[in-house]
Amino acid sequence: MPRSDHEAHVRRPRARALALALAAMALVAAACGSSDDGGGESSTGSAAEATGAVFAGPAASAEEGLDALYEAAVANGEDTVILAVSTTSAQIYGDLAEAFEERFPDITVELKEMDFIQMGSVVQSELDAGQRTADVVTNAFLALKPMIDAGSIDESIDWAALGVPDERVAEAGFVFQADGLCTTVVYNPDVIDEADLPDDLEGFLDSEWSNQLSTLPSNGVACMGFYALREGLDETTELVEGLRDNGMIFTDDAEQLMLAGERPVIVFHYSITAPRLEAQGAPVAEKLYPGTGVFRTRVAVVEDTPVPNAARLVTAWMVSPEAMQIFEDYHQGGQGFVADPDSMLVARTEALGQDPTDESFFVYETLDNFADRAEAATTFRELFVG
């Protein structure tokens, strides 16, 4: 399967494979509780026993866990991991895949790109059809609900035993990769002065904002879902209806229209791209409003993947300091980790006048509320997008 804009990728030689496989035999067998019955098995028989074994820990550190998973994956011939990613995030995950392959040269990461909001449905449909669709998924709970409901996420993994830090271990078999803000207002400061922005989202119902607003079809309704968690479904529906009556449009070109000044304000937007555009000198700024959601990108292994060690390795590595540095440098504060005080997302949110841990201002996606958010987003999609 091609890796989108990395189709020209050439697999690196498995020069280290034999040595790593031999080193992994004892490690994997010990981790899985295997024993020698004294039957005088040949070395070929021992290798066959090791094939299929999964390293489950314990690892004394994150680095030890990564090394052990790599050795186990090589021993088992697990050489390719299919990683499902949102199309809008393919570039950064391509960068992460290249960095992963540089460190672990005997494993290839293939990207499977798909629409953010449809990921869980697509992957689950393929699983139901008996296809090997993805080994690892990375997205918000909202988008992965069909897989969670179907039990297609491997919840048996003890991530802490594999060396993943406690603050990165999430619910239901997931690990936390990053956070981002949703329901921000992004605007063109060459056209709009911050002082002229209303104090709340209802202020955009005023006629002075007529035909000045836009939002994205998929991400817009997802961010509206956060607002509905705070304000209620009926109240949010009424607000969005009023905004649409005031000329707000749903369009994939929302950012281009904002930058061009044609529709200088994007409502119910997310924070991912604005900081990078700003860093490039584009006319873009943000304002946060109460009810801003904190969407949490989580990573998980798909149940019954044929490459369990390699899939665990990719997942654990993606929340490592090495990977997160690449991730944060790319996003420039658009995504980060609110539990890390040194995260650029924390610094950016504070620069916008808010503490990202303030639960009276922000709404955080959790296992308890994501289904309600998904229901609200579906309602908004059916009402306003079609």
Side-chain angles (χ1 to χ4, degrees):
M1 183 178 295
R3 229 188 56 189
S4 71
D5 45 313
H6 296 273
E7 289 96 341
H9 173 77
V10 178
R11 297 190 182 210
R12 295 175 176 81
R14 267 91 174 141
R16 301 174 57 201
L18 179 59
L20 284 166
L22 293 173
M25 296 299 181
L27 174 65
V28 175
C32 294
S34 60
S35 61
D36 185 354
D37 62 6
E41 294 175 326
S42 66
S43 59
T44 302
S46 298
E49 286 183 354
T51 300
V54 180
F55 175 72
S61 67
E63 287 299 308
E64 182 179 298
L66 294 175
D67 290 342
L69 286 168
Y70 183 41
E71 292 170 357
V74 172
N76 293 338
E78 302 174 17
D79 63 357
T80 304
V81 175
I82 302 172
L83 172 64
V85 303
S86 168
T87 300
T88 56
S89 300
Q91 182 176 339
I92 177 55
Y93 284 104
D95 294 344
L96 289 169
E98 290 182 359
F100 175 90
E101 292 169 2
E102 183 174 347
R103 176 165 178 181
F104 305 106
D106 298 300
I107 299 175
T108 298
V109 177
E110 293 184 353
L111 299 188
K112 182 183 180 73
E113 298 179 29
M114 58 191 70
D115 178 75
F116 154 76
I117 204 70
Q118 298 297 322
M119 180 182 293
S121 297
V122 172
V123 174
Q124 188 57 50
S125 294
E126 292 176 346
L127 288 172
D128 291 341
Q131 302 176 30
R132 179 188 175 189
T133 175
D135 304 302
V136 177
V137 291
T138 173
N139 211 317
F141 275 157
L142 172 73
L144 298 175
K145 184 179 185 298
M147 297 183 67
I148 296 171
D149 291 346
S152 297
I153 300 299
D154 190 341
E155 298 188 29
S156 68
I157 303 170
D158 185 346
W159 290 111
L162 296 178
V164 175
D166 290 343
E167 65 271 18
R168 291 283 181 179
V169 178
E171 317 96 314
F174 288 82
V175 297
F176 289 121
Q177 183 184 27
D179 303 310
L181 305 182
C182 195
T183 314
T184 65
V185 166
V186 178
Y187 63 98
N188 185 327
D190 288 350
V191 180
I192 304 294
D193 290 331
E194 181 178 5
D196 294 332
L197 292 171
D199 294 332
D200 52 41
L201 292 179
E202 286 75 8
F204 287 109
L205 297 171
D206 191 280
S207 60
E208 70 174 296
W209 298 104
S210 177
N211 299 319
Q212 300 295 301
L213 312 176
S214 69
T215 192
L216 290 170
S218 291
N219 293 93
V221 298
C223 291
M224 291 169 193
F226 273 118
Y227 196 75
L229 290 178
R230 178 186 175 96
E231 301 296 336
L233 180 60
D234 291 343
E235 291 80 358
T236 305
T237 300
E238 183 179 353
L239 170 62
V240 178
E241 286 178 339
L243 293 173
R244 189 178 62 170
D245 291 343
N246 203 28
M248 182 187 77
I249 61 172
F250 290 80
T251 173
D252 289 325
D253 296 327
E255 286 190 345
Q256 292 90 328
L257 293 171
M258 180 272 296
L259 293 172
E262 296 178 33
R263 287 182 174 267
V265 179
I266 309 176
V267 293
F268 295 109
H269 203 41
Y270 61 171
S271 64
I272 294 178
T273 55
R276 286 192 291 114
L277 290 170
E278 187 178 4
Q280 295 166 10
V284 59
E286 291 180 275
K287 182 176 175 65
L288 303 182
Y289 287 89
T292 294
V294 179
F295 66 87
R296 317 209 75 173
T297 300
R298 294 165 169 88
V299 192
V301 173
V302 177
E303 183 79 17
D304 297 326
T305 170
V307 289
N309 292 292
R312 286 163 169 77
L313 174 61
V314 168
T315 302
W317 180 81
M318 283 209 296
V319 299
S320 69
E322 175 187 4
M324 285 307 302
Q325 187 64 58
I326 298 170
F327 193 89
E328 291 237 13
D329 286 347
Y330 175 84
H331 285 292
Q332 292 294 303
Q335 279 192 278
F337 193 43
V338 296
D340 178 5
D342 295 324
S343 171
M344 283 190 278
L345 174 65
V346 172
R348 182 172 184 82
T349 306
E350 291 175 344
L352 292 170
Q354 300 298 330
D355 175 359
T357 64
D358 182 359
E359 296 183 6
S360 67
F361 188 93
F362 293 98
V363 179
Y364 304 89
E365 182 185 55
T366 69
L367 192 62
D368 293 331
N369 68 19
F370 87 94
D372 291 337
R373 181 186 170 218
E375 180 180 355
T378 299
T379 298
F380 299 137
R381 176 184 287 274
E382 292 173 348
L383 285 174
F384 305 119
V385 182

